[in-house]
Amino acid sequence: MTDLAERREPDLVYQPAEDSRLLGDATREFVDEGDVVLDVGTGSGWVASVAAEEGADVVGVDLNPHACREARDRGVQTVRGDLVEPFRNDAFDAVLFNPPYLPTDPDDEGDDWLEKALSGGETGRAVVDPFLDTVGRVLKPEGEVLLLVSSLTGLDEVTERAAENGLATAEVASEKFPFERLIVLRVITDNHQTD
Amino acid sequence: MQEDLMDIICCPLDKSDLELEVTQRDDEGEVIEGRLVCSECGEEYPVEEGIPNLLPPDMREESPA
């Protein structure tokens, strides 16, 4: 375990926090044994490892090379990549994502890896929007997405963007904090919903 | 990377199949070093320290921005 501790790089990789825990709880509820699962922006790999504990076959993807190494050290099979781009059509039963969701003033925005893990640009949706535009391609017809967002991210806008992509959203978990509410959205394709 | 990852990954640019070329495996058969080559566009993606780098070539730098 010494090796793992030495390789952990807390300043370069987002560590599990309240949002991770909320997404982890939803993961336990919705991910089943044998599911093929993608954890987008896997970071430390903590949420991915929760899915693995449920018996799922999990892959993590992250832009950040330090996160990829840390998640791999946690035992998560990891790919360095941009959102769902390096994955095949209809590959996953579930896609999990705790994205950078906080609206950030462009003047305050740094360019280090940790900032990139938190900042969702001016709207808070700079990463959520392209994710919603592309995630449908890699979902199996009966597949589902668990997406963590904050009330600060703009729930209506997120729901609207999903709908434009043929995706239906439903709130499945939420927790209040002093300045925001954290929400887990379950996102499924419109086809799935009418089945 | 485990070789069964090949069932779910593809070229990030054109979504075509990748071909795996292995240069090093560990004792359990996991691919540690090698490369993935797109069967359609020929783009090459490295596998380093067991992690395939499937970022498009223009996004591959180690820096965050």
Side-chain angles (χ1 to χ4, degrees):
Chain A
M1 294 304 283
T2 323
D3 187 39
L4 189 72
E6 279 170 8
R7 289 190 65 172
R8 203 163 276 168
E9 299 172 275
D11 296 326
L12 296 169
V13 178
Y14 185 73
Q15 297 301 309
E18 292 84 356
D19 48 5
S20 321
R21 193 169 45 73
L22 198 63
L23 185 59
D25 290 347
T27 297
R28 283 190 196 94
E29 191 179 339
F30 287 98
V31 167
D32 298 317
E33 193 173 343
D35 279 358
V36 181
V37 175
L38 176 66
D39 184 28
V40 178
T42 196
S44 69
W46 185 81
V47 171
S49 68
V50 169
E53 283 165 21
E54 292 298 302
D57 208 348
V58 191
V59 179
V61 61
D62 207 298
L63 208 56
N64 177 349
H66 309 284
C68 289
R69 286 192 282 268
E70 187 170 320
R72 185 170 183 273
D73 285 344
R74 199 186 274 272
V76 176
Q77 164 100 280
T78 309
V79 172
R80 189 168 177 221
D82 181 23
L83 299 175
V84 303
E85 293 308 319
F87 300 98
R88 294 184 188 224
N89 297 358
D90 305 326
F92 299 104
D93 297 292
V95 176
L96 317 172
F97 192 20
N98 179 3
Y101 54 75
L102 292 176
T104 311
D105 186 325
D107 295 337
D108 296 340
E109 195 157 341
D111 64 354
D112 60 277
W113 282 117
L114 210 54
E115 178 77 27
K116 216 169 162 68
L118 295 169
S119 166
E122 274 186 89
T123 61
R125 298 185 297 279
V127 182
V128 170
D129 281 350
F131 172 76
L132 290 170
D133 293 347
T134 55
V135 69
R137 182 183 64 80
V138 302
L139 274 188
K140 289 183 187 176
E142 304 286 295
E144 61 193 351
V145 175
L146 296 175
L147 173 67
L148 190 129
V149 290
S150 158
S151 49
L152 302 172
T153 315
L155 211 48
D156 290 347
E157 288 84 351
V158 171
T159 301
E160 234 163 77
R161 187 73 169 220
E164 284 166 19
N165 286 289
L167 301 167
T169 55
E171 216 177 290
V172 293
S174 102
E175 196 169 343
K176 275 193 88 117
F177 293 93
F179 298 101
E180 62 181 333
R181 195 164 66 93
L182 296 179
I183 298 127
V184 178
L185 292 176
R186 180 170 180 255
V187 185
I188 58 176
T189 66
D190 288 340
N191 298 339
H192 180 154
Q193 193 181 36
T194 54
D195 279 347
Chain B
M1 62 171 275
Q2 307 288 346
E3 217 159 314
D4 62 6
L5 197 63
M6 297 302 293
D7 296 341
I8 56 167
I9 58 175
C10 64
C11 175
L13 299 174
D14 57 22
K15 317 302 177 201
S16 298
D17 289 353
L18 296 165
E19 276 156 36
L20 174 64
E21 296 171 11
V22 180
T23 44
Q24 192 199 328
R25 288 180 193 270
D26 70 7
D27 299 342
E28 281 134 34
E30 190 176 343
V31 179
I32 303 299
E33 303 285 332
R35 60 178 189 163
L36 294 154
V37 183
C38 177
S39 58
E40 191 61 36
C41 70
E43 188 59 53
E44 296 177 10
Y45 303 93
V47 181
E48 292 163 336
E49 297 180 64
I51 300 167
N53 184 345
L54 289 174
L55 284 173
D58 62 336
M59 290 178 73
R60 260 179 221 161
E61 312 77 44
E62 289 274 315
S63 68

